[in-house]
Amino acid sequence: MSKKASIGVTGLAVMGRNLARNLARHGHTVALHNRSEARTRELVEQFGHEGEFIPTYSAQEFVDALDRPRQIVIMVKAGAPTDAVIDEFAPLLEKGDVIVDAGNAHFADTRRREAALREQGLHFVGTGVSGGEEGALHGPSIMPGGSVESYQSLGPLFEDISAKVDGVPCCTHIGPDGAGHFVKMVHNGIEYADMQLIAESFDLLRGALGYEPARIAEVFKTWNTGRLDSYLIEITAEVLKHTDAATGKPFVDIVTDQAEQKGTGRWTVQIGLDLGVPISGIAEAVFARSLSGSADLRKASRGLPGPARKALSGAEAESFADDVERALYASKIVAYAQGFNQIQAGGAEYGWDIDLGAVAKIWRGGCIIRAKFLDDVTAAFAAEPKLPTLLTSGDFRKAVEDAQDSWRSVVATAVKLGIPTPGFSTALAYYDALRAERLPAALVQGQRDFFGAHTYRRVDREGSFHTEWATDERAEHSA
């Protein structure tokens, strides 16, 4: 075989196939491999005209088709299937070769795999890829981890096929070992929160104003021309205006109201708890999906009493849609602030020096949460790389300040009408907790010391203390 491929893709389901096609369309020769030979042949037959492909039908043939350093992209299911593919190919590779996992792996698995392969002299690059099947084909946002050395050869290819915003590739080296998959995990957590807030906005406009889905679609189309301009707002309008062909009803009314999840949102919340980072907005979005899927629990609770959903009228109704827009924007700031705080905490915990501004920049295009909003996030971290929270950044602080009355009014109206808004409500509670001079956590510490002698700290002197609650004197002493 004289012609060599610059990169290979194994695992040719929809995502792998489209990534391979994207690479070929950009002039890269791509070696192909799949457990099922038929899928390899099918890709070449259907899309061989798009670029140069080298189909292979065994692991050894696949490896032999690659230029050194060999670069293999794995696109299979996370977990055991990924380990199986690594175990198949690693013995066939040589020092300096690169294995890329472009699936949705847990970052802890990526760290384990990277350490093991490093001992064999191989580079392992856990890479977050966002944008779905269309993004994989036309330009995703790409978040590679791994060594600096691996990015020197791999980076140009990934930057070439990534989405571009203002000519800037939506791809950058995130950091060592599992950093890429960690950032992709948080991206998906933010995505959960963003989607939940948008869904609550729809529910509010329908429940409080009586708008039909087609009219709400027009509201979202209008919002998409302003500061909420984003992929998720855009597709929401498309979904809401769609009519089911079989029934003639709004599409959203014939879909079962039980949202599913693949796990990355749940991982984000679990790791947030491990790191001690309050990502309450993301957590509520995950729990909202879980609650929606609790069919038996919901059915058993349907007769519980609550207020009547009476549509607003008069001046209150006229301003409500604008109030929801402001509340949505303020809550969105909170969700992103929490996500970036988690990336900061993960970087500190695992020794990754992650550039938050660079992360925001590569999320501006290609990925599911791509939005005009991220231009402002990028600018905020460029102005202040160690920004403690987006909520204190000038433009965002002003936006939340301007949204105050609307935000609180929307949450109050939702409570009055019995419309569940866990995303809006939690975002507002988080904001109020951050700005509070004192929190009731002081009482919690007192309770903990009373029943478990867990000690507490004082505001007027250093050290830890314990009160002898069981005695009449209740003497305090240093712990």
Side-chain angles (χ1 to χ4, degrees):
M1 185 184 295
S2 56
K3 181 73 174 178
K4 295 279 188 177
S6 55
I7 194 166
V9 179
T10 180
L12 301 176
V14 175
M15 285 292 290
R17 180 187 66 194
N18 283 1
L19 196 66
R21 291 173 60 195
N22 190 353
L23 284 159
R25 287 176 171 189
H26 282 80
H28 305 289
T29 302
V30 185
L32 303 173
H33 175 268
N34 193 74
R35 186 175 59 180
S36 163
E37 294 184 8
R39 189 165 277 176
T40 304
R41 292 192 175 94
E42 182 182 84
L43 192 158
V44 176
E45 288 170 5
Q46 291 185 10
F47 306 109
H49 62 281
E50 293 184 342
E52 291 192 74
F53 295 106
I54 301 177
T56 67
Y57 302 100
S58 72
Q60 188 64 63
E61 186 184 3
F62 182 56
V63 169
D64 290 343
L66 294 165
D67 245 338
R68 296 289 316 279
R70 300 181 184 92
Q71 300 179 128
I72 294 175
V73 178
I74 298 173
M75 293 295 284
V76 300
K77 288 183 179 180
T82 298
D83 283 321
V85 173
I86 293 170
D87 291 343
E88 180 181 13
F89 286 103
L92 305 177
L93 300 177
E94 299 174 76
K95 187 176 181 179
D97 289 348
V98 181
I99 298 177
V100 180
D101 176 10
N104 267 338
H106 194 292
F107 79 95
D109 287 338
T110 302
R111 299 189 80 207
R112 168 179 59 80
R113 292 163 181 152
E114 192 276 336
L117 291 171
R118 191 182 341 122
E119 289 187 0
Q120 301 175 40
L122 301 176
H123 296 285
F124 184 73
V125 181
T127 300
V129 178
S130 179
E133 57 186 83
E134 286 301 305
L137 180 61
H138 299 295
S141 175
I142 308 179
M143 297 153 257
S147 66
V148 172
E149 293 81 5
S150 65
Y151 194 77
Q152 289 173 352
S153 59
L154 190 64
L157 276 74
F158 279 174
E159 290 177 16
D160 193 25
I161 67 168
S162 71
K164 309 293 188 301
V165 176
D166 300 329
V168 178
C170 292
C171 173
T172 191
H173 182 232
I174 300 295
D177 54 73
H181 275 145
F182 185 93
V183 166
K184 174 57 163 55
M185 176 191 74
V186 176
H187 165 283
N188 285 22
I190 295 172
E191 177 187 309
Y192 273 58
D194 214 342
M195 292 172 70
Q196 176 64 25
L197 293 168
I198 292 170
E200 289 179 19
S201 299
F202 156 72
D203 205 22
L204 284 162
L205 294 175
R206 196 171 200 184
L209 294 179
Y211 287 2
E212 288 301 309
R215 184 172 180 183
I216 300 173
E218 292 305 312
V219 173
F220 275 94
K221 283 180 67 176
T222 300
W223 288 354
N224 202 47
T225 63
R227 60 184 178 176
L228 285 171
D229 177 1
S230 67
Y231 173 71
L232 284 172
I233 293 288
E234 176 187 346
I235 67 170
T236 297
E238 291 297 316
V239 171
L240 288 175
K241 76 179 184 181
H242 180 54
T243 299
D244 175 55
T247 63
K249 295 180 179 180
F251 171 78
V252 74
D253 287 344
I254 59 92
V255 176
T256 304
D257 63 340
Q258 297 176 21
E260 298 178 359
Q261 53 181 304
K262 289 189 175 180
T264 47
R266 184 169 64 250
W267 294 347
T268 308
V269 177
Q270 290 169 340
I271 300 304
L273 290 170
D274 290 343
L275 294 171
V277 181
I279 51 169
S280 51
I282 295 171
E284 282 296 344
V286 174
F287 289 137
R289 292 197 190 188
S290 298
L291 191 152
S292 77
S294 301
D296 291 342
L297 177 62
R298 292 175 61 197
K299 183 178 180 181
S301 307
R302 201 140 289 154
L304 292 175
R309 289 196 180 185
K310 184 179 179 181
L312 302 178
S313 60
E316 191 177 17
E318 289 178 11
S319 63
F320 190 72
D322 289 338
D323 287 339
V324 172
E325 188 273 345
R326 295 185 192 100
L328 173 57
Y329 190 71
S331 299
K332 181 184 177 84
I333 294 171
V334 168
Y336 280 71
Q338 291 181 352
F340 278 100
N341 282 155
Q342 184 168 11
I343 294 174
Q344 284 177 320
E349 175 70 17
Y350 301 111
W352 305 323
D353 184 17
I354 299 178
D355 184 337
L356 299 182
V359 170
K361 185 177 290 185
I362 67 169
W363 285 352
R364 295 181 304 157
C367 67
I368 303 302
I369 64 171
R370 60 185 182 266
K372 179 181 179 181
F373 173 88
L374 283 155
D375 286 329
D376 297 329
V377 177
T378 303
F381 284 115
E384 191 178 347
K386 301 299 182 182
L387 184 68
T389 172
L390 286 174
L391 289 163
T392 62
S393 177
D395 289 343
F396 293 124
R397 177 175 178 148
K398 180 65 165 60
V400 173
E401 180 182 351
D402 292 345
Q404 287 289 302
D405 291 345
S406 294
W407 200 4
R408 298 181 190 283
S409 175
V410 165
V411 171
T413 299
V415 171
K416 183 173 67 175
L417 297 178
I419 300 173
T421 54
F424 282 168
S425 303
T426 298
L428 182 57
Y430 174 85
Y431 173 77
D432 282 337
L434 282 187
R435 66 181 193 83
E437 185 69 29
R438 277 182 64 79
L439 293 170
L443 178 57
V444 173
Q445 282 299 88
Q447 293 167 333
R448 294 179 73 247
D449 190 60
F450 191 107
F451 67 69
H454 292 295
T455 75
Y456 53 86
R457 294 187 301 276
R458 297 176 59 96
V459 298
D460 55 358
R461 57 182 183 271
E462 295 295 321
S464 296
F465 300 88
H466 168 61
T467 293
E468 297 291 348
W469 297 100
T471 66
D472 291 339
E473 294 80 12
R474 294 189 173 177
E476 179 185 78
H477 59 78
S478 296

